Amino acid sequence: LFAFNQAILNPDAEVTLRALGPMLKKHEGKPITIEGHTDAFGGDPFNQKLSERRAVTVFEWLLSNKFVTADNVRTAGFGRK
């Protein structure tokens, strides 16, 4: 749902998140972890940072669209793992 080596949501990602958002809203207050991943291209340090940025991008989108609050969400990046 991201372009190669990018942490910017593509239009398909927004469609997916719009479908997911109401489900998250329904369970408001429960802990949520948003995990970011990458492909196997590039070095581990680059992929780790990219995966972290991707997770934060998803969180920020969900937050700005009022599907989650900052209180119960954490983000984690796993690189290519």
Side-chain angles (χ1 to χ4, degrees), residues 1-3 6-14 17 54 57-62 65:
L1 301 178
F2 296 93
Q6 298 293 315
I8 300 168
L9 294 171
N10 68 31
D12 289 338
E14 291 194 23
L17 292 175
R54 286 178 170 182
T57 296
V58 170
F59 165 68
E60 288 174 345
W61 189 95
L62 291 168
N65 285 277

Side-chain angles (χ1 to χ4, degrees), residues 2 33-37 51-52 54-56 58 74-78:
F2 296 93
T33 301
I34 300 171
E35 300 178 352
H37 297 270
S51 67
E52 292 168 5
R54 286 178 170 182
V56 168
V58 170
R74 76 175 198 96
T75 60
F78 293 95

Side-chain angles (χ1 to χ4, degrees), residues 1-78:
L1 301 178
F2 296 93
F4 180 71
N5 282 349
Q6 298 293 315
I8 300 168
L9 294 171
N10 68 31
D12 289 338
E14 291 194 23
V15 170
T16 299
L17 292 175
R18 284 196 195 287
L20 175 66
M23 290 181 263
L24 295 174
K25 188 81 172 157
K26 183 178 176 184
H27 299 287
E28 191 171 358
K30 302 221 180 200
I32 297 169
T33 301
I34 300 171
E35 300 178 352
H37 297 270
T38 64
D39 55 30
F41 296 102
D44 287 338
F46 174 82
N47 283 331
Q48 180 61 39
K49 286 292 186 188
L50 178 58
S51 67
E52 292 168 5
R53 288 194 335 260
R54 286 178 170 182
V56 168
T57 296
V58 170
F59 165 68
E60 288 174 345
W61 189 95
L62 291 168
L63 184 65
S64 70
N65 285 277
K66 300 189 179 7
F67 290 122
V68 298
T69 62
D71 301 337
N72 63 319
V73 179
R74 76 175 198 96
T75 60
F78 293 95

